[in-house]
Amino acid sequence: MPVLVLALAAVSLVIVRPGPIAGWWGSGDRSPAIIELGEPTPPPVLANVPDNAPMPTPAGIRAAIDALVTGSALGSEVNVSVLDALTGESLYVRGGDVPTVPASTTKLATAVTVLATRGPAYRITTRVVAGAEPGEVVIIGAGDPTLAVNGTGSYPGAGRLDRLAEQVKQALGGTVPTKVTVDSSLYSGPTYEPGWDADIPTGGYGAAMTALMTDGARLDPKKSTKGAARTPVPDLAAGKSFAKLLGLPAAQVKAVSRGTAPPANGSTAPPTAGTGPIEPGTELGRVQSPPIIRMVDFMLTDSDNVVAEALARQVALSRGQPASFVGGAAAMDVVLAELGLPADQSDLADGSGLSRSNRVTPELLSRLLVMVANGQHPELTGLVNGLPVAGWSGTLDDRFGVAASRMGAGVVRAKTGTLSGVHAFSGLLTTADGRLLAFTVLANKVPVGSDQAQPILDRLAATLAACGCR
């Protein structure tokens, strides 16, 4: 059987334009079978791969990439795994079972575990209920980082606070509430992971993780993932935005505070306006996130750390673990083992890869990609659509542009990872003979200040794509 790597969950659809799917389908939930792009249709990227394409030999791959792996640009600790995606056969290994800091390639593990536990179609629901005090409404954070204030949000298809406010107003018969309380108690533990570098809270690459936030905690929803300024109190900021939308006066907006929602009373709709007070715990409105598969796209394409941490907490909740850094990481390790991946080769601390405490092996990441690509777990295959395409999309849109790596443009889909002194690259590519390979390179002692590591990683992947390596 051919290896199908671009099937969406439950849909046999080959995407013929490389890059992410976010934005192509608008804000709706249904994907058209034919997408009018207004431009010539390029050839498929990693489409149906024949199973009879010649497999590279270990000797051929060694001859092609050994000098790149052992050169000085990647430093003294470079661990590599290259596998045949059809058979899982190891074609090149160098420290393949050595636990290594994976940086943002950790997000591959986050993607696989959340798709395996929640499923591609799952949505996160943000609810508002009547509070215990007269005139109080409580907005309950459920861990949706994509929630938008209005139609100018950061994430396509996100749930919106303005629509939630309209539902609440209608449920209250037009009566303006007197108090907004934020229930963000779903998350526990520190809001920043202890293993994060000291500049992450202020550098805009991560955010304080709270169960309620809007636009990934960005101060400006239109700022990109890279270095966007974030609010230090995302839940309260979201609560104040909601209070403004409800029409509360400035003093009451300023007084928005944290609290706990009363227990649900079993009612999903308030009594008709004018028939009496609304019981505490009565639901007044709800909005939902995009499907998990779309959130995985956001995470992988732009290496969105905030979305990654929220998805890791969804894994924790699915396994009865606390929705915290520790709970998410522990649940992800468990789910990776449940999927048949080597349990002793994963020791995670967060879901984004910002933590230097994370340890995984190149073999685990490559085997994870083989599992995604071989079609044996249909719920996972949609992950591939979110992987950046070399020279085209996401974190690879400005790479693979020089002569030494240009052959990889459009035929390499991979997740990048970068911390100071750490460079990682893990993904899928097709060789010149049409064979699909999974590869991972984790370099943990890259000379500080070096600007050669990324070009070497690009060249390595392009070399594999350009040769038959036999």
Side-chain angles (χ1 to χ4, degrees):
M1 293 291 292
V3 179
L4 179 61
V5 299
L6 285 186
L8 295 176
V11 181
S12 295
L13 173 66
V14 175
I15 299 296
V16 295
R17 174 176 177 172
I21 60 173
W24 296 2
W25 299 345
S27 60
D29 302 329
R30 298 181 62 188
S31 57
I34 299 175
I35 305 170
E36 295 295 336
L37 299 176
E39 60 184 71
T41 301
V45 175
L46 297 182
N48 292 334
V49 180
D51 58 7
N52 60 351
M55 185 192 303
T57 65
I61 289 186
R62 185 168 58 252
I65 68 172
D66 229 15
L68 296 172
V69 170
T70 58
S72 61
L74 294 180
S76 59
E77 186 179 331
V78 186
N79 299 321
V80 185
S81 170
V82 180
L83 304 177
D84 177 64
L86 180 63
T87 66
E89 182 177 336
S90 180
L91 300 175
Y92 184 95
V93 61
R94 174 187 170 94
D97 60 353
V98 175
T100 313
V101 179
S104 278
T105 58
T106 302
K107 293 181 176 72
L108 293 171
T110 307
V112 162
T113 54
V114 76
L115 288 171
T117 55
R118 287 305 201 196
Y122 183 84
R123 298 172 186 262
I124 302 169
T125 301
T126 302
R127 301 168 53 244
V128 175
V129 300
E133 300 177 14
E136 178 189 18
V137 298
V138 183
I139 181 168
I140 305 172
D144 176 12
T146 70
L147 184 66
V149 175
N150 51 38
T152 63
S154 301
Y155 303 96
R160 291 165 45 175
L161 285 183
D162 57 351
R163 292 175 175 169
L164 186 57
E166 288 304 314
Q167 292 179 40
V168 172
K169 290 177 184 178
Q170 185 175 0
L172 296 177
T175 302
V176 177
T178 58
K179 179 181 180 181
V180 169
T181 297
V182 171
D183 185 343
S184 53
S185 61
L186 181 68
Y187 285 5
S188 60
T191 56
Y192 299 105
E193 207 282 319
W196 287 3
D197 289 349
D199 62 344
I200 288 173
T202 57
Y205 287 89
M209 293 305 302
T210 56
L212 180 69
M213 63 172 64
T214 56
D215 299 304
R218 292 172 181 82
L219 294 175
D220 181 346
K222 288 306 180 185
K223 290 292 184 182
S224 70
T225 297
K226 301 175 182 178
R230 318 272 178 161
T231 173
V233 284
D235 53 348
L236 292 180
K240 290 176 180 180
S241 293
F242 186 59
K244 290 179 183 178
L245 291 166
L246 287 172
L248 271 65
Q252 292 171 343
V253 170
K254 187 176 180 180
V256 168
S257 62
R258 299 183 182 97
T260 304
N265 63 16
S267 174
T268 59
T272 304
T275 62
I278 298 175
E279 291 294 322
T282 299
E283 184 173 302
L284 304 176
R286 60 168 59 198
V287 292
Q288 292 187 311
S289 73
I292 285 292
I293 187 60
R294 294 290 299 275
M295 297 174 73
V296 167
D297 288 337
F298 302 150
M299 172 183 68
L300 294 178
T301 301
D302 293 319
S303 202
D304 192 311
N305 296 308
V306 178
V307 172
E309 296 302 344
L311 293 181
R313 283 161 171 75
Q314 290 298 313
V315 181
L317 292 168
S318 75
R319 287 293 183 267
Q321 295 288 331
S324 64
F325 287 107
V326 171
M332 286 169 59
D333 284 335
V334 168
V335 175
L336 289 172
E338 290 173 354
L339 289 168
L341 294 165
D344 60 343
Q345 295 186 15
S346 174
D347 185 10
L348 297 175
D350 70 10
S352 64
L354 288 174
S355 178
R356 292 181 183 269
S357 301
N358 287 315
R359 293 294 185 276
V360 299
T361 69
E363 181 186 0
L364 182 140
L365 291 177
S366 290
R367 294 208 173 280
L368 178 155
L369 288 164
V370 168
M371 181 178 62
V372 168
N374 66 20
Q376 293 181 8
H377 291 269
E379 72 278 12
L380 306 181
T381 56
L383 175 158
V384 181
N385 290 305
L387 288 177
V389 178
W392 187 280
S393 65
T395 55
L396 292 181
D397 64 351
D398 58 354
R399 291 172 60 171
F400 288 79
V402 301
S405 60
R406 196 166 291 135
M407 288 298 294
V411 295
V412 175
R413 279 184 181 261
K415 184 69 199 73
T416 59
T418 308
L419 296 169
S420 177
V422 175
H423 282 264
F425 206 26
S426 184
L428 297 162
L429 59 85
T430 49
T431 70
D433 291 330
R435 194 77 180 192
L436 186 67
L437 305 182
F439 70 93
T440 301
V441 184
L442 304 180
N444 270 196
K445 293 184 179 179
V446 177
V448 176
S450 170
D451 60 357
Q452 293 302 306
Q454 281 189 358
I456 291 296
L457 291 174
D458 294 353
R459 184 178 173 187
L460 189 153
T463 299
L464 289 174
C467 80
C469 296
R470 290 183 285 127

